[in-house]
């Protein structure tokens, strides 16, 4: 991760790594910590995301080329249900939720983890 952060810094983008528990709320916990130094905003972020997906369904279906417009597991209604705030074990959030949260926050969301490696392999 240090190499990745150095690469971004060399391009003028400075990131500070944070660690949160992978409890199904990890995305909103990390965003909450990044914007408010606490994880307590995660429920409000989930509610704002839920509202965003409900109120802008046509936009998201068009923007994702109807990727979630199907019957069965993972359809658009499931995506809304998975976004809802809950204290129980939850479905992990995915690409549509990241897209929605970026629009709620009006800023890009960049996710890096220990598996991320944007540094090209010079031998490839």
């Amino acid at each position: 991760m240090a190499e990745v952060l150095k690469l971004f810094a060399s391009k003028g983008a400075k990131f500070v790594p944070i660690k949160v528990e992978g409890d199904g709320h990890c995305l909103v916990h990390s965003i909450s910590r990044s914007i408010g130094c606490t994880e307590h905003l995660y429920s409000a972020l989930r509610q704002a995301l839920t509202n965003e997906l409900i109120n802008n369904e046509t936009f998201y279906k068009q923007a994702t080329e109807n990727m979630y417009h199907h019957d069965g597991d993972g359809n658009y209604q499931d995506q809304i249900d998975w976004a809802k705030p809950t204290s129980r074990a939850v479905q992990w959030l995915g690409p549509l939720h990241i897209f929605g949260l970026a629009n709620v926050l009006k800023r890009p969301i960049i996710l890096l983890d220990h598996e991320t490696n944007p540094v090209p392999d010079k031998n490839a």
Side-chain angles (χ1 to χ4, degrees), residues 11-61:
K11 304 296 182 187
K14 301 205 178 178
F15 294 95
V16 177
I18 59 172
K19 179 168 177 33
V20 296
E21 294 302 316
D23 63 355
H25 296 290
C26 54
L27 175 63
V28 287
H29 278 309
S30 62
I31 292 170
S32 179
R33 284 191 63 197
S34 296
I35 63 175
C37 299
T38 177
E39 294 180 21
H40 291 99
L41 300 174
Y42 81 93
S43 185
L45 286 167
R46 276 189 174 270
Q47 187 59 58
L49 171 59
T50 300
N51 294 342
E52 173 74 10
L53 295 177
I54 290 169
N55 295 333
N56 299 291
E57 180 174 348
T58 301
F59 166 76
Y60 287 105
K61 283 185 174 179

Side-chain angles (χ1 to χ4, degrees), residues 53 56-80 82 91-100:
L53 295 177
N56 299 291
E57 180 174 348
T58 301
F59 166 76
Y60 287 105
K61 283 185 174 179
Q62 288 176 346
T64 61
E65 298 179 349
N66 288 318
M67 186 166 127
Y68 303 99
H69 186 67
H70 58 80
D71 293 330
D73 193 37
N75 64 26
Y76 196 83
Q77 185 57 53
D78 284 345
Q79 300 298 316
I80 292 171
W82 295 340
Q91 174 73 29
W92 295 58
L93 299 180
L96 180 66
H97 303 111
I98 296 166
F99 186 17

